[in-house]
């Protein structure tokens, strides 16, 4: 019946049967695309029509590494839920993770390998075969390798962990290149450096929000965008109402109220960049009051001497009474927890700030405590998230190498530095000097638009892989990600592309695996051999099936809590410099506070229609950028909501409408990151502005990471008005008592048991 | 009995949840004596962080279309569950409160009495249900709803290919001219009932049904269940001293019960 659809068949019947005119009518009928009336005469084996099949895999929308369960029907992915067995997500998922389906089914996905003909600016992209595409890349790579210039190959990837990361290592080793970089805009590089310096740990600790009684968050928007929001959300909920006798108290210190600031019991605005000074002020008060009794108490007291309450109050702008109260409560409420990140870690003094914040945990004895800070074991596979992360400085070095002609081939995997680096870095111009740029992106983003050859990867829902979340949850855990649908297009998984190139280059014994799936299985044989895991299986085959099915693997052992004292050289060097901002405060009176959008993250979510139409939690704005300013600032400048202004830094100028924001310091203006794409598909393109573009190229000196909260700007009204698209109208309750509150004394707390009952959801 | 008395009693009975007719109506039409289930949701505002995971989960589960910037500007967006935000105080003491707002499944729903074609009605589970193919689009229900949680399809939904591959086959796609709203994920309720029946059970167990928003909530702020079961998690939580209903003075008798946010600023 191919060639005739149902409607045409009825037409034929209506015409009096298939007779003399049938030839003509058949010819007419095949003008339309062929539609089969009964597609499942021989039903595929993987599923039964009408019955949902669930596959457990791993979310790749951000670097948190949540385990997910994907509901599929008739071979299509229908819904993503959290995997209840996975320790990070525990059956829960954020808005961004839910929208993963729109990555898979995005109308703007690249559907086959593409080759640019003509120049980068003018040339067209024509579809080619995989064979052709891989051969072209392999040819260039082997030429470089043969002439001893293997190091001229640079592989720039998004942050990946697990076996994909080790595959990249092997591949680059064979090429003879050490230019393997991971680049994520939001990677908490300063936090890694602070933890390393203070505790001698190369990996992030687990912050136990769930069991804490008192949390001081210095700039970390842990519920919105910091590291692992779903897991933090679980911890927050439990800390609030999951214990009958105690309700966790949360304090947020930041210049602009974030989602976590709104959830906190107390929101405190310290002068931008002085969060670390505040932390040291608290530390001094705690040490002075006898809250710390370690042997090195005198060393701490000496190091903290300059941070008197009066001096700290002066620098941070926080009243002295508040400082002593915070310090007393922090020391007196056990277990307590101090976390730092976000804007506080993105100043020139970022590492020192985060050392100061985490030192608080040490001083009051939160290390290794339930409700405190727990160290994680070594990564199961590879070297973890931070080992290959490129700092801003290494990206500048890459750009310089490119300009000097030292880069022959650049392979870019799913990262978009042209969008997430400031214009001052000159990265885009440097790319133009690279003879061959290969992109493995699934979308035509700003960086892929510079590529000569595009070998599009599968989406994460079509690929094999694995992930070991970092920070872990205090014990070793991970999950295998498996394809949940057959590939939609003529794309390949990143691992398979690398293995395909390895074959063409004749790497043979070094990378012998024919596919990512087999490489993965080979790697998991070693994990099986470790034993002592949640999956108890004798044979590897049974183990593998169990791990893939469960969507989670974990070791039963926790790491021993080690006791230690902070090195005396670290104590002596403790201190936080006053923050440095580029531009004079006369010319540029405002400090720009860019923040990660909850819906769009660092811009990667901008091509998802659900995320574009998801009201920003704090402002309810959709489809565009805005600039937040304090009501008094707006009044002084004569601005109201919707007034289009230009935001000018010493390094550029962008335009956005004003949103009057009640909880931001008067000398700070804030902008969400994520919009302002010049490419990246129909939903993202030409919408809003990208604040990263105008950032000053200042660095934190130790890590070389971008100090992206340290730019000064001025506001230039344009006199034009634009409509700010947002939900709702009235931002105040006006006595309607819609959100009701009650005093702590009315909090009976008897609901803890409700969340400890295991829930079995009927699989639909 | 006088006609007026008859009418008033009938009216009161009609407005009473479960449509229980009084004794004087022996022999009168009985829709059902009481609800089979009384599906209820509690939302703990002390847990809610306003992260909007529920919003996207609902859109994914219920085939809610994206309307686009132009329609959004006209106030035509559709989000069966949304986060409302209210500011209180001024800098530096400004506070922002979040509240998830969805159809309250009122037992005395103003939207039900106003529909000229009975497209919206109360079903045997105590749900406020909408019959899409009966709706003629007068939008009266949306006007009468004090919670503003009814959404009208001003246009036929469009999914740029292949986004439609994601559509949930268990939920119909609504067309232009039809009112729609939160159903408490009735497709999941039906599935759970079928499952219970196949299992040889008469009733759905507590926790077997989770609407998409409840299932995804990272802070576990939402609890869903049957309040006819006194042991259910929702029954326990709705009897907490912090429980209240939004706009309670309107006597709409909502099935969504909020737990007050705790204001702990004594210390």
């Amino acid at each position: 019946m191919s060639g005739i659809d149902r409607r045409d068949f009825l037409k034929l019947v209506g015409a009096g049967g298939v007779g003399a005119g049938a030839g003509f009518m058949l010819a007419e009928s095949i003008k339309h695309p062929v539609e089969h009336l009964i597609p499942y005469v021989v039903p595929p084996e993987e599923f039964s029509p009408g019955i949902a099949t669930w596959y457990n895999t791993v979310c790749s929308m951000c670097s948190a590494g949540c385990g997910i369960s994907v509901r599929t029907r008739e071979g299509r992915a229908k819904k993503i839920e959290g995997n209840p067995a996975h320790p990070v997500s525990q059956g829960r998922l954020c808005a961004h993770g839910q929208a993963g389906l729109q990555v898979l089914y995005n109308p703007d996905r690249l559907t086959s390998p593409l080759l640019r003909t003509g120049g980068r600016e003018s040339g067209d992209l024509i579809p080619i075969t995989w064979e052709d595409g891989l051969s072209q890349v392999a040819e260039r790579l082997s030429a470089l390798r043969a002439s001893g210039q293997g190091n001229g190959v640079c592989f720039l990837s998004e942050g990946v962990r697990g076996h994909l990361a080790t595959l990249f290592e092997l591949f680059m080793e064979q090429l003879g290149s050490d230019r393997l970089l991971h680049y994520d805009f939001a990677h908490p590089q300063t936090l890694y450096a602070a933890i390393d310096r203070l505790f001698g740990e190369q990996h992030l600790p687990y912050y136990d929000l769930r069991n804490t009684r008192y949390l001081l968050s210095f700039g970390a928007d842990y519920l919105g965008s910091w590291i692992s929001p779903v897991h933090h959300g679980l911890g927050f909920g439990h800390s609030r109402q999951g214990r009958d006798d105690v309700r966790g108290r949360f304090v947020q210190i930041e210049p602009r109220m974030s989602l976590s600031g709104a959830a906190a019991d107390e929101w405190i605005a310290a002068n931008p960049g002085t969060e670390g000074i505040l932390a040291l002020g608290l530390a001094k008060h705690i040490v002075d009051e006898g809250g710390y009794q370690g042997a090195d108490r005198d060393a701490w007291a000496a190091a903290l001497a300059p941070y008197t309450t009066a001096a700290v109050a002066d620098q941070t702008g926080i009243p002295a009474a508040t400082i002593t109260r915070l310090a007393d409560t922090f020391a007196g409420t056990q277990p307590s927890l101090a976390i730092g990140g976000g804007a506080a870690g993105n100043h020139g003094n970022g590492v020192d700030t985060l050392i100061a914040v985490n030192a608080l945990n040490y001083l009051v004895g939160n290390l290794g405590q339930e409700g405190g800070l727990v160290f994680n074991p070594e990564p199961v596979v590879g070297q973890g998230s931070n080992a290959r992360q490129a700092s801003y400085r290494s990206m500048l070095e890459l750009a310089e190498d490119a300009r000097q002609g030292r880069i022959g081939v650049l392979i870019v995997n799913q990262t978009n530095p042209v969008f997430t680096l400031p214009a001052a870095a000159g990265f885009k111009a440097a790319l133009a000097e690279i003879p061959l740029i290969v992109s493995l992106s699934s979308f035509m983003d700003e960086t892929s638009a510079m590529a000569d050859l595009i070998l599009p990867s599968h989406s994460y829902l079509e690929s094999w892989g694995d992930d070991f979340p970092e920070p872990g949850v205090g014990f070793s855990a991970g999950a295998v990600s498996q394809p949940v649908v057959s590939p939609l297009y003529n794309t390949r998984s990143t691992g398979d592309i690398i293995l395909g190139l390895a074959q063409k280059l004749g790497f043979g014994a070094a990378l012998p695996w024919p596919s990512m799936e087999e490489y993965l299985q080979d790697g998991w044989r070693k994990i099986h051999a470790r034993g002592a895991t949640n999956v108890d299986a004798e044979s590897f085959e049974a183990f593998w099936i169990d791990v893939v099915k469960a969507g989670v693997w974990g070791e039963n052992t926790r790491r021993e809590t080690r006791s230690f004292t902070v090195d005396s050289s670290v104590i002596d060097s403790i201190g936080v410099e006053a923050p440095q901002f580029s531009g004079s405060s006369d010319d540029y009176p405002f400090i720009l506070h860019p923040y990660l959008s909850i819906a769009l993250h660092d811009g990667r979510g901008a091509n998802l229609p659900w995320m574009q139409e998801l009201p920003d939690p704090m402002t309810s704005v959709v489809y565009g950028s805005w600039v937040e300013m304090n009501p008094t600032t707006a009044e002084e400048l004569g601005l109201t909501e919707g007034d289009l202004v230009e935001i000018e830094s010493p390094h550029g100028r962008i335009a956005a409408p004003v949103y009057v924001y009640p909880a931001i310091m008067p000398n700070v203006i804030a902008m969400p990151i994520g919009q302002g794409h010049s490419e990246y598909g129909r939903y993202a393109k030409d919408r809003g502005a990208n604040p990263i573009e105008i950032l000053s190229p200042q660095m934190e000196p130790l890590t070389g990471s971008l100090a992206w909260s340290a730019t000064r700007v001025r506001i230039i009204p344009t006199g034009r008005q634009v409509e700010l698209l947002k939900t709702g109208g009235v931002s105040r309750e006006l006595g309607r008592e819609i959100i009701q509150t009650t005093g702590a004394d009315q909090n009976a707390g008897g609901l803890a048991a409700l969340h400890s009952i295991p829930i079995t959801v009927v699989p639909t | 009995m006088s006609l007026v008395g008859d009418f008033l009693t009938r009216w009161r009975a009609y407005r009473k949840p479960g449509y229980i007719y009084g004794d004087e109506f022996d022999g009168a039409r009985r829709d059902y004596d009481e609800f089979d289930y009384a599906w209820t949701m509690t939302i703990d505002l002390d847990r809610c962080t306003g992260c909007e995971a529920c919003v996207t989960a609902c859109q994914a589960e219920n085939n809610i279309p994206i309307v686009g910037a132009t329609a959004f500007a006209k106030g035509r967006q559709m989000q069966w569950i949304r986060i409302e935000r209210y500011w209180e105080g001024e800098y530096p003491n400004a506070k922002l409160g979040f509240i998830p707002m969805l159809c309250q499944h009122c037992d005395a729903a103003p939207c039900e009495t106003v529909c000229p074609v009975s497209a919206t009605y109360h079903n045997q589970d105590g749900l406020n249900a909408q019959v899409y193919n009966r709706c003629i689009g007068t939008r009266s229900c949306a006007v009468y709803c004090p919670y503003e949680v009814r959404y009208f399809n001003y246009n036929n939904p469009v999914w740029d290919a292949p986004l439609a591959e994601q559509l949930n086959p268990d939920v119909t796609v609504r067309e232009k001219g039809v009112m729609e709203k939160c159903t408490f994920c009735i497709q999941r309720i039906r599935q759970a009932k079928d499952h219970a029946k196949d299992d040889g059970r008469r009733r759905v167990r507590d926790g077997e049904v989770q609407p998409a928003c409840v299932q995804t909530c990272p802070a576990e702020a939402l609890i869903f269940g049957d309040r006819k079961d006194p042991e259910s998690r929702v029954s326990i939580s709705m009897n907490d001293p912090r429980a209240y209903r939004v706009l309670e003075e309107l006597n709409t008798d909502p099935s969504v019960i909020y737990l007050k946010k705790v204001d702990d600023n004594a210390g």
Side-chain angles (χ1 to χ4, degrees):
Chain A
M1 60 176 275
S2 288
I4 308 180
D5 68 17
R6 185 181 61 101
R7 201 172 290 137
D8 294 314
F9 178 69
L10 291 177
K11 256 198 264 174
L12 286 172
V13 173
V18 186
F24 164 73
M25 299 195 75
L26 274 169
E28 281 294 291
S29 74
I30 52 177
K31 281 181 181 170
H32 305 289
V34 178
E35 288 176 31
H36 297 279
L37 181 59
I38 307 163
Y40 296 133
V41 179
V42 184
E45 280 177 19
E46 302 84 55
F47 57 82
S48 320
I51 305 216
T53 315
W54 292 78
Y55 293 101
N56 289 324
T57 182
V58 183
C59 182
S60 302
M61 301 294 282
C62 78
S63 53
C66 292
I68 53 173
S69 301
V70 184
R71 176 178 182 243
T72 67
R73 274 275 303 263
E74 287 85 37
R76 312 280 195 282
K78 297 296 180 189
K79 181 81 170 57
I80 304 177
E81 309 283 6
N83 177 358
H86 198 278
V88 175
S89 54
Q90 295 175 33
R92 310 285 161 167
L93 203 59
C94 70
H96 201 71
Q98 290 278 353
L101 292 170
Q102 295 197 327
V103 172
L104 175 65
Y105 293 123
N106 198 292
D108 296 319
R109 270 185 66 180
L110 299 170
T111 54
S112 78
L114 298 169
L115 176 71
R116 193 177 296 276
T117 55
R120 279 189 183 140
E121 299 301 321
S122 55
D124 287 332
L125 286 162
I126 53 161
I128 52 169
T129 62
W130 275 100
E131 179 59 33
D132 195 7
L134 290 175
S135 301
Q136 290 203 25
V137 181
E139 218 168 89
R140 295 289 279 275
L141 292 179
S142 60
L144 281 173
R145 189 165 164 247
S147 61
Q149 292 172 304
N151 209 30
V153 182
C154 176
F155 194 107
L156 184 62
S157 171
E158 65 169 342
V160 293
R161 294 179 290 235
H163 284 95
L164 192 56
T166 54
L167 184 67
F168 291 170
E169 299 275 352
L170 285 173
F171 180 72
M172 292 303 279
E173 198 181 300
Q174 286 302 308
L175 273 178
S177 169
D178 59 3
R179 293 187 204 272
L180 170 57
L181 299 171
H182 294 180
Y183 178 68
D184 288 312
F185 178 74
H187 181 76
Q189 209 149 23
T190 50
L191 184 59
Y192 275 93
I195 297 294
D196 188 11
R197 177 122 179 86
L198 190 61
F199 302 128
E201 289 278 331
Q202 273 77 56
H203 307 286
L204 294 187
Y206 175 63
Y207 292 109
D208 187 5
L209 265 62
R210 181 182 165 86
N211 295 307
T212 199
R213 293 173 64 120
Y214 190 70
L215 180 92
L216 283 181
S217 165
F218 295 82
D221 181 12
Y222 57 95
L223 294 173
S225 54
W226 188 66
I227 297 183
S228 192
V230 173
H231 191 76
H232 295 150
L234 275 157
F236 174 84
H238 183 86
S239 178
R240 278 285 204 228
Q241 290 291 336
R243 297 168 292 180
D244 283 340
D245 50 341
V246 53
R247 174 180 180 272
R249 217 178 124 74
F250 292 79
V251 179
Q252 185 82 9
I253 298 141
E254 56 190 3
R256 174 245 175 211
M257 186 186 277
S258 65
L259 192 70
S260 314
D265 297 286
E266 202 175 347
W267 173 73
I268 297 170
N271 288 330
T274 65
E275 290 87 350
I277 297 171
L278 175 64
L280 292 181
L282 300 183
K284 175 168 169 58
H285 185 78
I286 289 167
V287 172
D288 286 355
E289 296 293 308
Y292 176 64
Q293 293 297 346
D296 49 359
R297 183 172 175 274
D298 293 341
W300 281 99
L304 294 169
Y307 297 92
T308 61
T309 306
V312 170
D314 189 46
Q315 280 188 281
T316 59
I318 295 173
T322 309
I323 295 173
T324 50
R325 176 171 54 81
L326 290 179
D328 289 338
T329 322
F330 185 73
T333 318
Q334 293 297 318
S336 59
L337 187 58
I339 59 174
N346 294 319
H347 282 279
N349 61 11
V351 173
D352 290 335
T353 295
L354 298 179
I355 289 176
V357 169
N358 283 285
L360 283 173
N361 289 320
Y362 171 76
L363 289 173
V364 303
N366 293 335
L367 302 193
Q369 299 295 316
E370 190 173 85
L373 177 159
V374 181
F375 292 117
N376 275 304
E378 290 290 305
V380 179
V381 174
Q383 312 161 59
S385 290
N386 198 44
R388 287 287 182 180
Q389 265 291 332
S391 63
Y392 181 64
R393 189 188 289 145
S394 29
M395 293 302 277
L396 288 185
E397 284 162 9
L398 173 62
E400 182 56 26
D401 285 345
R403 277 190 292 268
Q404 299 298 328
R406 287 193 283 261
I407 307 290
V409 178
L410 174 70
I411 305 173
V412 186
N413 173 41
Q414 315 281 359
T415 183
N416 189 6
V418 173
F419 182 81
T420 54
L421 282 174
F427 195 77
K428 193 175 173 184
L431 284 186
E433 305 295 323
I434 298 176
L436 177 66
I437 300 175
V438 183
S439 170
L440 310 184
S441 176
S442 311
F443 296 97
M444 185 56 78
D445 56 25
E446 285 80 356
T447 309
S448 302
M450 303 283 294
D452 307 290
L453 187 60
I454 298 174
L455 303 176
S457 294
H458 284 338
S459 74
Y460 70 102
L461 295 173
E462 299 159 305
S463 312
W464 282 102
D466 58 357
D467 195 18
F468 301 87
E470 192 169 325
V473 285
F475 55 90
S476 295
V480 171
S481 66
Q482 58 175 327
V484 303
V485 293
S486 355
L488 262 66
Y489 304 114
N490 185 19
T491 54
R492 288 192 185 176
S493 83
T494 316
D496 287 338
I497 297 172
I498 297 300
L499 287 168
L501 282 176
Q503 270 167 19
K504 290 234 178 285
L505 289 162
F507 288 168
L511 284 95
W513 306 278
S515 72
M516 182 66 192
E517 188 183 352
E518 287 181 51
Y519 173 61
L520 203 60
Q521 289 200 10
D522 220 33
W524 276 79
R525 277 178 208 280
K526 296 188 193 82
I527 296 171
H528 178 228
R530 287 165 69 116
T533 66
N534 68 324
V535 180
D536 199 18
E538 277 295 314
S539 74
F540 171 72
E541 283 67 30
F543 170 78
W544 173 251
I545 288 168
D546 283 355
V547 169
V548 171
K549 264 170 95 173
V552 65
W553 166 90
E555 262 171 353
N556 300 332
T557 48
R558 266 179 187 269
R559 182 175 157 186
E560 292 278 314
T561 308
R562 69 184 171 92
S563 64
F564 63 84
T565 47
V566 174
D567 195 75
S568 65
S569 69
V570 177
I571 303 176
D572 294 343
S573 70
I574 218 158
V576 179
E577 298 280 319
Q580 301 293 319
F581 298 94
S582 105
S584 77
S585 58
D586 293 338
D587 291 342
Y588 299 99
F590 299 104
I591 294 165
L592 176 64
H593 176 92
Y595 61 92
L596 293 175
S597 156
I598 283 154
L600 314 179
H601 200 63
D602 58 3
R604 67 181 73 172
N607 64 344
L608 312 173
W610 279 336
M611 294 295 97
Q612 282 285 358
E613 205 164 295
L614 185 74
D616 173 70
M618 305 300 287
T619 62
S620 85
V621 179
V622 295
Y623 287 119
S625 296
W626 63 93
V627 51
E628 295 166 7
M629 59 178 73
N630 187 289
T632 54
T633 311
E635 203 181 323
E636 276 167 24
L637 295 171
L639 296 169
T640 53
E641 184 179 303
D643 281 338
L644 192 70
V645 295
E646 289 189 331
I647 302 109
E648 191 186 280
S649 80
H651 300 275
R653 188 192 278 195
I654 51 173
V658 169
Y659 181 91
V660 179
Y661 195 79
I664 184 169
M665 297 182 81
N667 63 337
V668 176
I669 65 152
M671 269 191 86
I673 293 167
Q675 301 279 20
H677 284 275
S678 59
E679 297 282 345
Y680 208 33
R682 68 191 78 177
Y683 304 108
K685 201 174 170 181
D686 301 330
R687 224 185 262 290
N690 179 12
I692 299 175
E693 207 177 301
I694 61 166
L695 293 180
S696 299
Q698 295 191 93
M699 283 177 266
E700 194 285 319
L702 184 67
T703 56
S705 65
L706 181 67
W708 48 274
S709 303
T711 302
R712 282 190 167 277
V713 292
R714 62 171 160 235
I715 298 286
I716 307 161
T718 63
R720 280 189 290 149
Q721 265 270 337
V722 293
E723 189 184 5
L724 210 51
L725 296 185
K726 57 177 195 147
T727 63
V730 187
S731 63
R732 303 270 162 166
E733 285 198 73
L734 308 174
R736 286 176 290 174
E737 296 189 337
I738 293 169
I739 301 177
Q740 297 186 14
T741 53
T742 180
D745 51 330
Q746 296 296 307
N747 179 26
L751 304 181
L754 298 184
H755 293 279
S756 54
I757 301 168
I759 306 257
T760 31
V761 179
V762 175
T764 56
Chain B
M1 188 178 287
S2 76
L3 189 63
V4 174
D6 187 355
F7 174 77
L8 284 178
T9 322
R10 276 177 180 272
W11 175 253
R12 275 194 292 272
Y14 170 60
R15 296 298 291 151
K16 194 173 167 191
Y19 298 15
I20 304 165
Y21 285 10
D23 285 337
E24 64 268 40
F25 280 99
D26 215 5
R29 185 178 73 93
R30 283 165 186 265
D31 282 312
Y32 28 83
D33 283 347
E34 54 179 8
F35 299 142
D36 293 345
Y37 296 87
W39 298 115
T40 304
M41 186 185 290
T42 56
I43 300 178
D44 191 341
L45 297 183
D46 205 31
R47 279 177 179 261
C48 175
T49 67
C51 72
E52 303 205 324
C54 50
V55 179
T56 308
C58 175
Q59 283 178 319
E61 173 73 18
N62 291 303
N63 302 340
I64 303 174
I66 289 302
V67 297
T70 319
F72 202 102
K74 295 176 183 161
R76 294 176 176 182
Q77 73 272 19
M78 289 195 268
Q79 273 153 359
W80 289 1
I81 183 168
R82 63 170 186 263
I83 302 292
E84 290 188 359
R85 47 193 68 66
Y86 295 102
W87 286 98
E88 199 187 309
E90 299 299 339
Y91 179 85
N93 299 313
K95 273 188 193 171
L96 182 59
F98 296 112
I99 182 166
M101 188 52 67
L102 66 163
C103 174
Q104 304 282 303
H105 293 273
C106 309
D107 282 340
C111 57
E112 288 171 15
T113 51
V114 78
C115 180
V117 293
S118 297
T120 180
Y121 72 109
H122 230 63
N123 82 358
Q124 76 284 2
D125 283 1
L127 296 182
N128 176 276
Q130 179 81 12
V131 185
Y132 299 128
N133 52 11
R134 200 185 278 169
C135 177
I136 56 169
T138 67
R139 288 178 274 157
S140 316
C141 51
V143 175
Y144 274 65
C145 174
Y147 304 96
E148 309 228 359
V149 287
R150 295 183 146 264
Y151 298 92
F152 187 65
N153 284 276
Y154 283 90
N155 295 101
N156 274 323
V158 179
W159 283 275
D160 296 331
L163 280 175
E165 301 281 4
Q166 176 271 325
L167 293 179
N168 184 353
D170 297 333
V171 177
T172 181
V173 172
R174 288 76 56 184
E175 60 177 355
K176 180 178 174 177
V178 168
M179 191 60 76
E180 61 181 65
K181 56 172 268 300
C182 162
T183 64
F184 270 171
C185 287
I186 194 166
Q187 67 281 7
R188 294 189 178 200
I189 295 176
R190 295 236 168 98
Q191 209 106 33
K193 284 181 172 177
D194 285 354
H195 185 76
K197 203 179 94 197
D198 294 347
D199 239 21
R201 280 180 283 135
R202 200 175 72 81
R203 294 189 70 80
V204 172
R205 266 196 298 261
D206 187 33
E208 258 181 337
V209 191
Q210 300 278 298
C213 53
V214 178
Q215 189 170 2
T216 205
C217 178
E220 302 183 289
L222 279 56
I223 296 178
F224 182 81
D226 175 18
R227 67 170 178 270
K228 287 192 71 182
D229 170 6
E231 304 292 310
S232 72
R233 295 158 71 247
V234 82
S235 291
I236 297 167
S237 61
M238 68 184 280
N239 289 321
D240 190 85
R242 290 191 291 127
Y244 77 102
R245 292 168 166 84
V246 170
L247 304 180
E248 196 154 12
E249 65 275 20
L250 299 177
N251 291 322
T252 52
D253 204 1
S255 296
V256 177
I257 291 140
Y258 294 87
L259 304 183
K260 290 179 190 172
K261 195 176 168 73
V262 178
D263 188 359
D264 193 10
N265 276 328

